[in-house]
Each structure stands twice: as C-alpha cells, then as structure tokens.
Amino acid sequence: MAFLATSESYDGFTLRGDHAPFVRFSLALAIGTAVGCAVAPTWPLYLMAWGALAIALGVFLTIRCLTRLRQHRYYSVLGLLVLLAWGLTGCLLTWQTDPAIDRTHFSHFESKALVGLVADEPVVRGGHARFPFAVARAFASEGVHEVTGTLMLTIQLDEGSDIEQLAYGDELLIPSGYERVTPPFNPRELDYQRYLAGKNIWHQDYLRMDQLKKLDGGKGNPFIAYALALRQRMVAKFGAYIPNRDAYSVASALILGYRAEMDERLVQAFSKTGTIHVLSVSGMHVVIVFWLLANLLWWMDRGKGMRIAKFMLLLLAVWGYALLTGFSPPVLRASIMVSFVMAATIFGQQNRIYNSIAASAFFLLLYQPRFIMDVGFQLSYLAVLGIVFLHPLMRYLLPVGNRWVRPVTDYIGISIGAQAGAGPLAAHYFHQFPLYFLPANLFIVLPASAMMYLGFALLIMPPGQLALWAGIALEKLILATNAALACIEQWPMASIQGIWLTWWESTLVYVLIVAVAMAMMARSRRWAYGVMGCATLLVGASFLQTFSDAGPRAIVFNVRRNLAVGFVNREEAWLYTDLPSIDDRTIGYSVLPALEAHASKDDIRVVVHGLDSVYRDQWMYAKGGVLQFGDVRFMVYDGTDAYSGRIAVDVVIVRNNPRGSLAPLLEFVDCQQLVLDGSNYDSTIDRWTAEAKAAALPVYVLKDNFAYVWPLQSPVL
C-alpha cells in the first residue's frame, strides 16, 4: 500500500489535508449506524427518529432560505444539522431491515413452507453446507405471501449427498421450521447472533438434503452468478496444475479468495505470524494489482487526457480482479476504497487522502449500514488509516537517503502503521498478538507478490507444458513460503495468547497511539501528559481486570446435550466433560474462550466423564460423577448410579432424563443447587422444576439459558 502511505506528508509537524467534508459525514453516518446496531428498534422509536430527521431538515431549509448563507454565524448550526441528519439517516437505514420494523419479513407470517434463492456460494465444511437463503414467498394456510428477509441454512450432508447440485441463484422450496438465532450462552463465547445480524440475518434452520426441493436455477444476479462461476473455473484450474493440496488451497485463497478447502493448521501458521491478511483477499491484493499496472503505465502520466485514460485502465484492472474473486465482500470493500484513493492520487489530490478514504466508507455504509459491524470492514479501514497516519511520520523522523534501503524501511513503516491501526481491535476480537509480524511481513511481501503474478499468469495460460511449468513453480514457491512461516511460528513467544481487551481498553490503546504520534510530531507537553494519562488508565484497567478474574469459580457450560464443567483459578483451568477431546469443535466454540482467559489450551487439565478411573491433583478430585474443586463439590446425576448413605454436595447437575422424581435423589443427597442441562426433555425439565420449587430447592435450567457460574466462596490458594 505504498501509494497510500506516501500520499500524505508532514511539513513542520503539520498534517496537510484539512478540507475533508467526507470525514465528518462518514463519522456522523458511522455513529448513526452504530447506534442503530446497538439499540433494538421499536415502532415508536423508529417514528421518533423519522420525526427528528424531518425537524432537522426543516430547520436547515428554513435557515438556508432566510439567510441565503450570507450570515456566517449560522454556519456552525447548519453544519451540526447536516451531521445530525446523516447520523439519523444511518440509524434509520440500519433499522429498516430489522424484523421489528420490516412488516414484510417472513417471520411475521405463520408459514408451512418457504420459497427463496441461494443468496451466496454454499460453503462446505465438516459434513455440512451453509449458505444464506433469501426468502421470497411464504406458503401459509390462508394463501401465498410475498415476503422479504434472509435466513441462514445449514444442510447436513450424507455420503450420497451431492452439494454441487446447489449453486448461487437456485430457487428452493424448504419446510418452514426456522428458529431465531440465539445469543451466546457461555462466557466469552462468539456472539453468532451479532455476527449474522451484521448480515441482516436473524433466523436459521438446519435441514437434511432430502428436505430441499429445487424449483429452478439461475435466478440470482447474473453478474454475480458469472463472477462465482468464473472463480470456480479458476479454482478448478489451480487444482489441475497444483497437485499438493496445501499449495492448492493457499493459491486459491491468496489469489481468488477461496478458503473453503483451507486446512486449519495452515490458517494458524499465518495467524500466529501476523500474515493472515495474505490469505484474506483484501486491500493488499488489490493494491498489488494496482501497483503492477500503474508501474507498467508510467508513460501515461503526461497530460490530463493520458492520466484519465490511465485511471480508467487501472479502474478496469481493479474491478476485473474483483470479478475474478467472485465479488466477495472484502474485495468489494477494498476495490471501492482503492478506487477512491486511486482517483485522488491520479488527479493530484494526494493532500485529501483522508477525504478519499472517508468517502469510500461513507458510500459503503449508505449501501449497507450494517457493514459497521463487520470485523473485516473495521480492520481494513483501521489498517489503512494507521498506514496513512503513521508511515509519513516515520519517514519524517527517520529519513533514509539510500534508494536501495528506502523500500525496506518504507515497508517496515507500512507494516508498523497497519499493525498499529488494526492490532488493538484484532487483539480485542481474536485475543492474540503476533510478536514477529515485522520479520514475517518483510519475508512474505515478495513471495506473496510473486505468487499472485505467477498465479495470474497460470490462469491466463492455455493448457499445455508452459502452464504445467508455471503450476510447478507456483507450488514450490508456496511450499517454501509455508515452511518458512512454520519455522517463524515455532520461534519462542511467536504469538501472545489470551489477550482480553474490552472495547474501551481498545479505544484507550488507540488514543495512546495517537497521543504518542502527536507528542513526537508536535513535541508538546500537553500530548506528553496525554500519553502518561492513557498509559496510567491502561495499567489501572489491567490491574482491575486481573483482580476481578482472580477469584476461583466453577462454570457449568451450556453445550446443548453434552456436559462441560470448568474450574478456573487465577492462571489455572480444569475441564470435566463427556466430549472425547479438547479439540472437539463444541469445546473450541463454547468452552475454550472462557478457559483460555486463564490458561493456554495446552495447560488446561481435562477429565473425561464416564471413565472408571479416578482423577486427583492438588486442587481437584473426580470419581464416578462426583467432582470436588477446593471446598466445592459437584455431582452429575442421571439416575443410573446407585449410592449408599448420604452425601453432601453443593450443586447437582441432572442429565439425560432420569426416571422417577426428585424425591429419591434427596434421600441420599444434601444439595444447595439443582442444575438441569440441555440433555433433558422439556417435560422432564418442567416436572423437576416444579418438584424443586415445592421442596424449596433452588433450580437453574441450563437449556436455552446462559451458563451457570458458581463463585467459590473459599479461596483456593
């Protein structure tokens, strides 16, 4: 992204480019969309927002007509009204697709079947295919309704299932058994409900392949259908000329943005070395395409007409690459952003680079307001802003005259700027930070560029010996790069894991970065005080977080029909579960986020429920469904084990629909709390809940509720 980084300069520590209306407009629109995403809409609130927008526009037009913009004292009022209007517009645009406001949403009709389109290319992983389903018609007992809305469909694939018969634009008939996407039920669990809401999806369904009926095909957007079909042909060509599966998956992800067949081991290697952006087709890849063609067309920089022709050719190349990747959302965002910045660069408006970046974000948010919730959107813009803000400062403070050394120092500055821009938010979302991002990114830039150019060459070559040689060269280059990254991944402390930043701590980190940069730029004592203040607040927040998490506690996780009980104490964690391995996907999704806040995955001690063996260590004892952690004792009860005498426990976890009633259990157990997990039928839960209340025994139903957290009163030292 060198053309981004060099488009701003520092002159006496003064940043040029103060005329940037789109910075203000996009900021107001972003705040409005963020409020719209954070606040659940209701009709009264929706109408109030429309009323406020009408009032703001009315006051603006009144002042405009009365003053004819000749009285400067009203300019600030007019400006505030414009920003307020854009903020309200963002809020209203965000709300208008919410089922609470959209009365044509399919969820408002009691339907027996739904007809709609496959809205994106199905993604196949782990015996399931997943794709968004845009509903068009709902079949109810009283007739057929034209409806709107999208639900996420997950299709279970059997051995005989042929997922290739499903493609973008297929019209399907499905039974209406959808359910609303549930919120996270466990501490620190991924908020899948929020993730899908960012795509205007509030409902999901799980079906078998034989429950789908294909009515027609090719009914989607023909342009997108062509782009996806073209990408599939390109992926198939890579598969034909790159026999190694790892190299093939990296080439498909790097060049075409196709990650469906990417091995998790490779993803971890790129992630832990801070080079995961290479596999996510985005701004860097679009810039590589731009940079090559811009250098080949250097001779077109003479005269306005030639510059316009060059701009059109570059625009065609950037959007042609977007077509090649199937118009995936990250590439669309990057192409729009690069197009705006490219226009500013080509036409000599480099001093308005911030305005160009803000304009691209503004129009993207107008098109799809919920992009503001998309992690990729947030990280890509923060990375670009980090480059534009910090790299010129580093070039000013550390000038390099040698033309051979300057490209290396420039890329170091770009890497630092991108990591400073995206790093804090990435740590907030993904809870890790790659320490060796500088050497890894310095290493990856040339191989990644070579892979892209070699991959493009392979894609345009006709079948034959030349294409075979290009495939071999590309495979060898990818495998060598993978081996080098795997080596960097094994370096000591390659990645700091278990970083848990709150949103306001992440904001403080950004304020600290800006304060440090401004203190270096302006050499102002005020900014130096700001740096010390931010650092003090961050240290204090870290201490508060450490002490708040220091208390030992037990967590009965909501893992549907399975069992998972976690014990945490400072930097130690234990897991008692009926799942066979800590690598199970359910544990990784629902359990590990809470436990890894205290201990790394390799240090978590796992005890498997149901084994006859006894587990004992300094703090935990487990045998036959009874487990004790410090002074707290749990029992897992399903009605199959026989006990003699009486036993005192703190919590009894009732599972698998035990026969009989609560009374036989209370004959040999003294307990303080009853927990009914998701393996029980609703009828069992209702019966045991009523009996527990009659016996004045506290009961907690885990099914469709948040995990049960038991704070341990006696500290474990």
Side-chain angles (χ1 to χ4, degrees):
M1 292 189 176
F3 81 102
L4 290 174
T6 57
S7 55
E8 286 280 356
S9 60
Y10 285 82
D11 183 11
F13 301 119
T14 301
L15 186 64
R16 296 201 295 258
D18 49 336
H19 182 63
F22 274 108
V23 172
R24 296 188 288 272
F25 296 160
S26 61
L27 185 60
L29 188 65
I31 292 173
T33 56
V35 170
C37 292
V39 178
T42 61
W43 266 103
L45 199 59
Y46 187 65
L47 294 176
M48 285 174 59
W50 269 113
L53 178 60
I55 292 172
L57 292 177
V59 173
F60 176 86
L61 291 175
T62 301
I63 296 176
R64 168 70 176 81
C65 293
L66 292 177
T67 65
R68 297 183 180 180
L69 299 182
R70 293 176 181 174
Q71 299 185 30
H72 295 276
R73 60 180 176 175
Y74 291 109
Y75 282 6
S76 58
V77 176
L78 291 173
L80 287 175
L81 288 172
V82 170
L83 296 181
L84 176 62
W86 280 124
L88 290 168
T89 300
C91 196
L92 290 167
L93 288 174
T94 306
W95 281 345
Q96 70 178 3
T97 56
D98 193 288
I101 302 300
D102 183 8
R103 307 313 299 174
T104 63
H105 195 273
F106 65 85
S107 61
H108 294 298
F109 302 89
E110 294 184 5
S111 56
K112 297 180 179 179
L114 301 172
V115 172
L117 302 180
V118 178
D120 202 354
E121 192 175 40
V123 176
V124 181
R125 282 200 184 104
H128 294 83
R130 184 175 285 109
F131 56 87
F133 182 70
V135 184
R137 296 189 298 279
F139 289 82
S141 55
E142 67 273 12
V144 181
H145 303 278
E146 298 293 326
V147 296
T148 59
T150 304
L151 64 86
M152 182 61 70
L153 270 186
T154 301
I155 309 302
Q156 182 179 349
L157 302 178
D158 301 324
E159 291 186 4
S161 300
D162 183 14
I163 190 59
E164 293 184 1
Q165 63 182 295
L166 285 181
Y168 168 80
D170 285 350
E171 186 177 47
L172 304 178
L173 172 68
I174 65 169
S176 181
Y178 60 85
E179 58 185 20
R180 196 166 182 91
V181 180
T182 57
F185 286 142
N186 295 289
R188 304 185 188 272
E189 186 177 33
L190 171 69
D191 193 344
Y192 190 58
Q193 184 186 62
R194 180 180 180 275
Y195 169 77
L196 287 184
K199 302 177 182 296
N200 284 316
I201 298 175
W202 284 269
H203 298 82
Q204 61 184 343
D205 202 357
Y206 299 86
L207 301 173
R208 300 186 309 274
M209 196 70 179
D210 58 9
Q211 293 180 282
L212 308 179
K213 183 178 181 181
K214 184 175 177 179
L215 303 178
D216 202 353
K219 303 199 73 173
N221 185 309
F223 206 49
I224 295 178
Y226 175 77
L228 291 173
L230 177 63
R231 184 171 74 167
Q232 282 297 332
R233 292 198 296 271
M234 298 299 99
V235 169
K237 188 168 186 179
F238 278 148
Y241 286 96
I242 306 176
N244 183 276
R245 303 311 295 174
D246 283 351
Y248 154 74
S249 61
V250 170
S252 300
L254 172 69
I255 300 166
L256 301 173
Y258 184 79
R259 289 180 60 174
E261 300 184 38
M262 177 67 65
D263 187 87
E264 186 64 28
R265 173 181 47 83
L266 282 174
V267 175
Q268 283 297 318
F270 279 85
S271 178
K272 290 185 177 180
T273 54
T275 55
I276 190 65
H277 58 87
V278 171
L279 297 181
S280 302
V281 173
S282 55
M284 187 196 81
H285 304 73
V286 177
V287 169
I288 287 176
V289 174
F290 165 86
W291 180 85
L292 176 65
L293 195 57
N295 280 279
L296 292 176
L297 299 177
W298 59 270
W299 50 274
M300 297 183 71
D301 289 331
R302 307 167 186 173
K304 185 176 180 181
M306 293 290 282
R307 287 201 305 272
I308 292 175
K310 178 179 180 180
F311 171 70
M312 297 306 295
L313 287 173
L314 292 173
L315 207 62
L316 185 64
V318 166
W319 285 97
Y321 178 61
L323 173 70
L324 192 65
T325 61
F327 286 120
S328 63
V331 178
L332 280 177
R333 289 196 302 267
S335 298
I336 291 172
M337 179 167 57
V338 170
S339 298
F340 274 92
V341 175
M342 189 167 56
T345 304
I346 292 294
F347 295 109
Q349 298 295 316
Q350 294 97 327
N351 62 330
R352 297 187 180 180
I353 190 71
Y354 287 105
N355 197 57
S356 301
I357 296 171
S360 68
F362 178 81
F363 288 108
L364 278 170
L365 290 176
L366 276 182
Y367 165 70
Q368 175 49 271
R370 290 187 180 271
F371 273 160
I372 197 71
M373 296 174 64
D374 188 277
V375 177
F377 177 89
Q378 298 168 10
L379 292 178
S380 60
Y381 274 94
L382 285 171
V384 170
L385 289 174
I387 293 171
V388 171
F389 179 63
L390 291 178
H391 179 246
L393 174 61
M394 287 184 278
R395 292 189 73 179
Y396 180 86
L397 296 175
L398 301 171
V400 176
N402 191 305
R403 64 174 184 171
W404 301 106
V405 179
R406 191 183 304 126
V408 177
T409 58
D410 278 348
Y411 195 75
I412 290 175
I414 290 171
S415 296
I416 293 174
Q419 201 65 243
L425 192 66
H428 168 73
Y429 283 123
F430 307 116
H431 318 299
Q432 64 178 15
F433 185 82
L435 284 181
Y436 303 125
F437 70 89
L438 262 182
N441 278 280
L442 282 173
F443 164 76
I444 199 68
V445 61
L446 290 179
S449 302
M451 288 177 209
M452 288 196 67
Y453 298 141
L454 196 55
F456 289 147
L458 174 58
L459 292 177
I460 64 176
M461 285 179 185
Q465 190 63 39
L466 193 59
L468 184 62
W469 289 342
I472 293 173
L474 182 57
E475 179 183 273
K476 298 298 183 185
L477 178 60
I478 292 174
L479 292 178
T481 304
N482 290 351
L485 288 179
C487 180
I488 295 176
E489 182 190 10
Q490 299 304 316
W491 289 359
M493 295 292 293
S495 176
I496 300 176
Q497 304 288 331
I499 301 174
W500 295 93
L501 293 176
T502 62
W503 67 268
W504 68 272
E505 286 174 327
S506 302
T507 304
L508 268 179
V509 174
Y510 281 114
V511 174
L512 178 62
I513 292 171
V514 172
V516 169
M518 296 302 293
M520 296 175 65
M521 181 175 65
R523 298 183 181 180
S524 165
R525 184 175 297 179
R526 182 181 302 174
W527 282 108
Y529 290 152
V531 171
M532 290 187 289
C534 286
T536 302
L537 286 174
L538 279 172
V539 171
S542 176
F543 274 112
L544 284 175
Q545 185 70 21
T546 300
F547 284 114
S548 64
D549 287 343
R553 59 189 179 275
I555 306 169
V556 183
F557 293 96
N558 185 338
V559 283
R560 306 305 188 268
R561 297 187 60 82
N562 293 111
L563 171 69
V565 183
F567 299 97
V568 295
N569 178 43
R570 293 189 176 89
E571 297 181 358
E572 296 181 289
W574 292 258
L575 175 61
Y576 183 84
T577 180
D578 63 348
L579 291 165
S581 168
I582 197 171
D583 295 319
D584 185 272
R585 294 187 68 180
T586 299
I587 291 180
Y589 180 81
S590 300
V591 177
L592 282 185
L595 299 186
E596 285 188 318
H598 298 267
S600 66
K601 180 180 177 180
D602 294 336
D603 293 332
I604 297 172
R605 282 159 274 191
V606 181
V607 183
V608 179
H609 171 69
L611 298 181
D612 293 332
S613 59
V614 177
Y615 177 86
R616 185 195 299 272
D617 64 21
Q618 185 179 6
W619 304 120
M620 183 173 173
Y621 172 84
K623 179 182 179 182
V626 177
L627 48 153
Q628 183 155 340
F629 185 73
D631 294 336
V632 176
R633 184 176 296 165
F634 280 66
M635 172 185 283
V636 179
Y637 178 75
D638 58 9
T640 60
D641 294 327
Y643 295 89
S644 59
R646 294 189 64 82
I647 180 173
V649 298
D650 295 282
V651 180
V652 175
I653 304 171
V654 180
R655 290 179 42 77
N656 294 330
N657 304 288
R659 294 181 180 180
S661 62
L662 174 62
L665 173 65
L666 297 181
E667 289 178 359
F668 63 88
V669 171
D670 293 323
C671 68
Q672 301 179 35
Q673 178 73 48
L674 202 65
V675 175
L676 304 172
D677 75 2
S679 64
N680 298 293
Y681 298 141
D682 290 339
S683 57
T684 303
I685 291 174
D686 292 341
R687 187 179 75 250
W688 279 68
T689 300
E691 293 176 358
K693 290 181 178 178
L697 177 63
V699 61
Y700 187 85
V701 178
L702 199 60
K703 191 173 186 178
D704 296 330
N705 280 312
F706 197 75
Y708 181 75
V709 180
W710 179 279
L712 305 184
Q713 299 299 324
S714 301
V716 181
L717 302 176

